[in-house]
Amino acid sequence: RALLVAFVVLLHTILTPFLVALLLAYMGDPLVDRLERAGLSRTLSVVAVFGLFTLVLMALLLVLVPMLAKQLFRLYELAPQILDWLQHSALPWVQAKFGLADGFWKFDKIKAAISEHMGQAGDIVSVVLSQATASSLALIGWLTNLVLIPVVCFYLLRDWDIMTGKIRGLLPRQREGQIVKLAGECHEVLGAFIRGQLLVMVGLGVIYAAGLMLVGLELGLLIGVIAGLAAIVPYMGFVIGIGSALVAGLFQFGGDLYPMMGIVAVFMIGQALEGMVL
């Protein structure tokens, strides 16, 4: 067993694209089977699913990613002002309200650490580009994986039923029924979990982002997407989302009550829909 683990760790760079392709094929196989039952051939069904995935990916790259990048740059611009507001307005109010001791927050150290990382973050693009161009092997490996994953995924999807049939043929006959039954139960549970979590993450991300943008929160899209991704852990997305949205709202709207009520309402609606629909 230890030898197997060492072998996998040693070859992880080679195995990674195949494992990613296997995961994508596993997620796409139910949709391909549904199209196949509708009358399409297996190959045409796989092509249709690939076309759908490509359209979704292109939409994300052309629409969502530029909007998120714009808000990330805006957050970078606002960060010094937000830190000053926290240090001189928000945290002193909390400290006075709850009777906390002076120096409780130690915000100077926190601010210095954040400012240092922000200074480094400004050079992220140049560092990444320099590293990528400095190591031609790494760049070639990245491009190879980029091409290899969809190719492997395509053939895995096309021959998925054949592969599972051959694997079943390798099982010992006296244990075949039991193993197939257990594998089927694992498949149902795992598939339902993955589909459910993806649905919750996407649904909550859309609800939070759209709601916060309607409220007028400047960083609403960014906070909504982060909260949606964090929803993979129950309640983490809600806590992170409403906390960061309230801080951003207090900074942007000041003492205006109605936008803050709108922010809270967005997350309450999201939680209600998660419990009743998602």
Side-chain angles (χ1 to χ4, degrees), residues 52-87:
L52 177 61
F53 284 172
T54 302
L55 289 176
V56 172
L57 182 61
M58 292 299 294
L60 291 175
L61 291 176
L62 295 176
V63 179
L64 185 60
V65 172
M67 295 173 65
L68 286 174
K70 183 178 179 181
Q71 293 207 356
L72 279 171
F73 281 115
R74 181 58 179 160
L75 175 62
Y76 181 78
E77 294 174 353
L78 291 175
Q81 302 175 40
I82 295 175
L83 291 175
D84 288 337
W85 173 78
L86 285 172
Q87 184 177 16

Side-chain angles (χ1 to χ4, degrees), residues 105-118:
W105 300 105
K106 298 180 180 178
F107 194 76
D108 290 333
K109 295 182 179 179
I110 299 174
K111 184 177 179 180
I114 294 175
S115 300
E116 180 182 354
H117 287 294
M118 283 178 55

Side-chain angles (χ1 to χ4, degrees), residues 23 26-27 189-199:
L23 177 62
Y26 175 76
M27 294 172 60
V189 173
L190 181 61
F193 172 77
I194 293 176
R195 289 192 297 271
Q197 286 302 111
L198 286 176
L199 179 62

Side-chain angles (χ1 to χ4, degrees), residues 147-227:
V147 175
L148 188 61
I149 289 174
V151 172
V152 174
C153 182
F154 178 87
Y155 285 103
L156 285 175
L157 268 177
R158 196 189 67 173
D159 298 332
W160 188 268
D161 294 337
I162 298 175
M163 289 188 302
T164 53
K166 289 185 177 296
I167 292 173
R168 181 169 181 172
L170 297 174
L171 299 176
R173 290 293 167 261
Q174 64 273 21
R175 299 285 185 179
E176 180 182 355
Q178 183 180 4
I179 295 174
V180 170
K181 180 182 177 182
L182 292 175
E185 293 176 355
C186 292
H187 167 68
E188 290 180 4
V189 173
L190 181 61
F193 172 77
I194 293 176
R195 289 192 297 271
Q197 286 302 111
L198 286 176
L199 179 62
V200 168
M201 291 167 62
V202 173
L204 289 179
V206 171
I207 292 170
Y208 292 155
L212 293 176
M213 292 173 70
L214 286 175
V215 170
L217 191 64
E218 192 172 4
L219 302 175
L221 177 63
L222 179 62
I223 294 174
V225 170
I226 292 174

